[in-house]
Amino acid sequence: MRAGSGVLDRLGGRYRPLVTDLLLALGYVGAGLLLGREQPPAGWRSVDVLGAVLTALVGLVMVARRFAPVAVFATGSALWILFIACGYWPVVNSMPALLGLYTVAATRRLPTALGCAAVVGGVWVYAGIGNIEHSSMPTVLAQAVLFPAVVFVVGRGSGALAERNRQFAELTLQLRRQQEEKALQALTEERVRIARELHDVVAHHMSVISLQAGMASYVFPTDPAASRRALDTIADTSREALEEMRRMLVLLRVGQEERREGAGDGRQDGADYAPAPGLDLLEPLLERVRGAGVEVTLEVAGSPPRLPQGMALCVYRVVQEALTNVLKHAGPTRAAVTIRYESRTIVVCVANDGDDAFRPNHEMSPGHGLIGMRERAKIYGGSVTAGPRALGGFEVRLTLPAPTTSDRPGGLPAPGTGDVPIR
C-alpha cells in the first residue's frame, strides 16, 4: 500500500504542472469564447467560426509552455496576429500572449525575454494602427508599453525566486549529505574510541591475570594460601574486566528491543551505563598492580581541581597503560605514580626502576599503547612523553592544561587524592 502510494505521489508530482497548464489553457479558451460572443468595440468584427477556431488554437498552444516557452510564445503570437489581421477584437486573445511572455521571462535569458516583450508591444501597436479611426494612439502606446513591462518584471522576479529556491534545495541536499558524512565520521571515531577503551581494559587486566596465574601455579605446592589469594585476585580482576567491557559494548546497542532484553536478564540499565573510570578508581588499580608483584606508590601534590569526566578518564587510562607496560616488560620492580596540580597544568608521571633487560623504546614504540595515550592527551590539548630515565628504568609523563578555577570544588579534594604520599 505504501509503495503504491509513493508511486502515485511521484507520478502526480511529475504530471501536475502539465495538468495545471491544460486546465489553464481550457480556461483561457472558455473565457475567450465567452468574450468573443459579446459585441466588440467599433471597428472590430464579431467572433465567428473562424475566430472561435483561432481562439481555441491560441489557448491550447499554452499547454506546452513549460516545455518550449519560446516556441509556444512564437506560435501563439503568430496566431494572435492572424486573429487581429482577420479583423477580430485583439483583447479576446491577449491573455495567452501575456502568459507566454511571462513564461519566457521567468525561464529564459534576458535578451530573449526582452525580444518577446517587444513582440507583444509591437502586436499591440499593430492592432491599434489597424483600427486607427476608432483608437487613441496615446492609449494604445501606453498599453503596448505598460502591459508587457509589468508581465516582464513579474516573470523575471518569479524566475529569480525559482532559481533561488533551486539553489536552496541543492544547498539543503548538500548540507544533508555533509551531516550524514559527519555522522558516519562521528560513528567511526566513536568505534575507534571504544576499540581503544577495549584495548586498555583487556591489556591491563589480562596482564594482571597472567602474572597472578603464573604465581598461583608456582606457589601452589608450597604456599596454598598465597595461591588462593592469587586466584581470588584473578577472579576479581576478570569480573571487573567483564563489567568494563559490558559497559563499553552496550554503547554499540541500538533499539529498544535490545534494552528490554538486557533488562529481562536481571541487569539494571544504570549498571550498563555506569560512569567511566576516574581518579577515584586509581587506588583499586594500584592494588591490582601491587598484587601482581610491582610495588607502586601514589603521590598527589597541589590543590586538586574538579576534572571533567573525559579528562579524568584520560588520566586514569594513561596511568593504567603505563603500569600495564611495567607489568609486561619490567617484571617485579618498583613504580611511582605522581600527580602534580599546578596553576596552569596537571602533570602525571609514572616511573619505574628498571634494569638492562627492560628496553621500552624497543618494546613500546611500535604498539598501540603509547599511540593511544598520546591521542587521548591531544584531545584535551595535552601531550605524553615516554622514554628511559637517566637513573634507569622508564618514565611516562602526561601533561594536561588545568581546568579553570571556577571548576574547583569549595575546598574539597578530589576523591582518592591527598597532599601526602599514599602507600
Side-chain angles (χ1 to χ4, degrees), residues 25-386:
L26 293 176
Y28 278 138
V29 171
L33 293 177
L34 290 176
L35 185 61
R37 293 181 60 183
E38 297 183 2
Q39 182 66 31
W44 301 109
R45 57 184 289 194
S46 300
V47 174
D48 51 15
V49 176
L50 177 60
V53 171
L54 291 176
T55 299
L57 291 176
V58 171
L60 292 177
V61 167
M62 293 296 111
V63 175
R65 68 185 183 92
R66 297 178 192 264
F67 305 101
V70 178
V72 167
F73 174 80
T75 303
S77 298
L79 291 172
W80 189 28
I81 293 173
L82 179 60
F83 183 82
I84 296 172
C86 292
Y88 299 113
W89 187 24
V91 175
V92 173
N93 285 319
S94 61
M95 292 305 296
L98 294 176
L99 177 62
L101 172 60
Y102 168 84
T103 306
V104 172
T107 59
R108 293 299 182 262
R109 301 179 64 181
L110 180 61
T112 304
L114 288 174
C116 292
V119 170
V120 173
V123 174
W124 212 278
V125 172
Y126 166 72
I129 294 175
N131 193 20
I132 190 66
E133 296 84 1
H134 304 90
S135 300
S136 170
M137 286 309 298
T139 303
V140 171
L141 292 175
Q143 293 176 344
V145 173
L146 182 61
F147 291 168
V150 171
V151 174
F152 173 84
V153 171
V154 174
R156 297 301 293 180
S158 177
L161 179 61
E163 178 64 18
R164 283 196 296 271
N165 291 337
R166 185 188 64 80
Q167 293 176 355
F168 286 149
E170 291 181 356
L171 181 60
T172 301
L173 181 60
Q174 206 171 35
L175 290 175
R176 185 179 295 113
R177 289 175 180 172
Q178 291 178 357
Q179 289 176 348
E180 292 175 354
E181 292 175 358
K182 288 182 178 179
L184 181 60
Q185 181 181 1
L187 178 61
T188 303
E189 292 175 352
E190 180 66 12
R191 288 176 175 173
V192 171
R193 185 189 69 81
I194 293 175
R196 188 184 299 121
E197 292 286 326
L198 287 174
H199 166 269
D200 294 341
V201 170
V202 172
H204 172 75
H205 290 84
M206 291 306 295
S207 296
V208 174
I209 292 172
S210 177
L211 289 172
Q212 292 290 337
M215 186 181 71
S217 177
Y218 180 75
V219 302
F220 182 77
T222 59
D223 192 351
S227 178
R228 179 175 294 277
R229 287 195 299 271
L231 292 175
D232 290 340
T233 302
I234 290 174
D236 294 339
T237 303
S238 60
R239 188 181 304 109
E240 181 178 343
L242 288 174
E243 289 177 355
E244 282 203 51
M245 290 176 65
R246 186 179 65 183
R247 177 184 60 81
M248 287 181 290
L249 291 177
V250 76
L251 298 177
L252 297 176
R253 295 183 179 180
V254 293
Q256 297 293 331
E257 294 78 9
E258 293 185 353
R259 283 195 285 271
R260 285 195 293 268
E261 291 173 2
D265 60 7
R267 297 194 305 266
Q268 298 295 327
D269 291 342
D272 287 338
Y273 293 97
L279 299 184
D280 55 333
L281 295 182
L282 275 181
E283 187 59 36
L285 171 65
L286 301 186
E287 286 295 337
R288 289 195 301 269
V289 176
R290 293 184 189 113
V294 176
E295 182 182 347
V296 58
T297 61
L298 172 64
E299 180 179 356
V300 180
S303 177
R306 181 190 293 113
L307 295 183
Q309 181 178 354
M311 188 177 291
L313 176 61
C314 174
V315 173
Y316 179 88
R317 292 304 188 199
V318 168
V319 173
Q320 182 186 54
E321 183 66 30
L323 293 177
T324 299
N325 282 286
V326 171
L327 290 173
K328 286 181 179 179
H329 307 298
T333 184
R334 292 187 303 274
V337 179
T338 305
I339 303 177
R340 294 201 313 273
Y341 297 104
E342 301 177 354
S343 58
R344 295 185 179 180
T345 58
I346 299 173
V347 180
V348 180
C349 179
V350 181
N352 69 279
D353 299 334
D355 52 26
D356 293 339
F358 182 40
R359 303 182 184 276
N361 278 338
H362 174 73
E363 298 289 344
M364 285 183 60
S365 297
H368 297 284
L370 186 57
I371 296 175
M373 286 190 284
R374 286 174 174 162
E375 288 180 352
R376 289 181 184 279
K378 192 181 297 183
I379 293 175
Y380 301 99
S383 61
V384 171
T385 58

